[in-house]
């Protein structure tokens, strides 16, 4: 048994090094009254089973005037989703309902509000660039960025 113990300790260290801490799998992003996110690039460790994105609207304008959401899709899909979302309207969070192209999305929030979404990284490819954006009409031109799993 005195040989087994150090072996287990080594295994634990090796395993532990490959598991991301819970904090790394929680990401916050801000949207403001100037129609901007506070980042254009987001990345999450591939070791996260799932990640939770929290969108904080740091402005003061109401959701129907300067609402923001955080939507994730394949980069090729984001424009078609944004266009369909504009037609879907505020009541649908400016997103086409039940659209399989939407990987994850928060609801539309106004100033001072927050919303979170948790998504599984299963089925998403590492080192591929996904696009995150706000689907409020007209916002995606400024409010978009890249999302990568590293
Ligand atoms: Zn927005």
């Amino acid at each position: 048994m005195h040989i087994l113990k150090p072996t287990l300790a080594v295994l634990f260290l090796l395993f532990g090094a490959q598991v991301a801490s819970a904090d790394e799998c929680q990401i916050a992003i801000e949207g403001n009254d100037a129609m901007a996110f506070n980042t254009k690039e987001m990345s999450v460790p591939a070791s996260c089973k799932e990640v939770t994105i929290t969108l904080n609207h740091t402005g003061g304008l109401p959701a129907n005037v300067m609402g923001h959401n955080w939507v994730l899709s394949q980069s090729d899909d984001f424009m078609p989703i944004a266009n369909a979302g504009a037609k879907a309207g505020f009541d649908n969070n400016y997103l086409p309902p039940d659209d399989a192209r939407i990987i994850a999305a928060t609801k539309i929030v106004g100033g001072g509000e927050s919303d979170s979404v948790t998504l599984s990284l299963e089925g998403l490819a590492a080192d591929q660039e996904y696009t995150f954006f706000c689907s409020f009409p007209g916002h995606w031109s400024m409010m978009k960025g890249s999302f990568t799993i590293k």
Side-chain angles (χ1 to χ4, degrees), residues 21 24 33 38 40 51 53 74 86 108 119 125 128 134 146 149:
S21 73
E24 290 178 301
D33 282 348
N38 64 340
K40 298 259 180 203
V51 293
I53 312 291
Q74 302 270 1
I108 294 269
L119 64 133
Q128 181 189 328
C134 170
S146 69
I149 299 157

Side-chain angles (χ1 to χ4, degrees), residues 35 66-69 134-136 139 143:
M35 204 198 291
M66 184 53 73
H68 303 310
N69 59 0
C134 170
S135 69
F136 194 100
H139 286 200
M143 300 188 74

Side-chain angles (χ1 to χ4, degrees), residues 4 16-17 21 43 45 48 55 67 75 90 92 100 119 126 128:
L4 189 60
S21 73
S43 73
C48 294
L55 169 65
S75 294
F90 182 83
N92 288 309
L119 64 133
Q128 181 189 328

Side-chain angles (χ1 to χ4, degrees), residues 59-121:
L61 293 170
N64 61 338
V65 176
M66 184 53 73
H68 303 310
N69 59 0
W70 183 91
V71 185
L72 182 68
S73 73
Q74 302 270 1
S75 294
D76 287 348
D77 290 338
F78 109 83
M79 284 281 311
I81 293 170
N83 286 329
K87 292 189 191 101
F90 182 83
D91 288 345
N92 288 309
N93 291 295
Y94 291 115
L95 286 173
D98 304 319
D99 191 317
R101 295 173 299 181
I102 300 166
I103 297 170
T106 68
K107 63 178 187 182
I108 294 269
V109 294
E113 297 172 341
S114 296
D115 193 36
S116 296
V117 64
T118 298
L119 64 133
S120 167
L121 296 189

Side-chain angles (χ1 to χ4, degrees), residues 14 17-18 29 31 53 60 69 76 78 86 103 122 131 133 136 140:
L14 286 173
Q18 288 177 23
I29 182 168
I53 312 291
N69 59 0
D76 287 348
F78 109 83
I103 297 170
E122 236 171 88
T131 294
F133 62 100
F136 194 100
W140 56 263

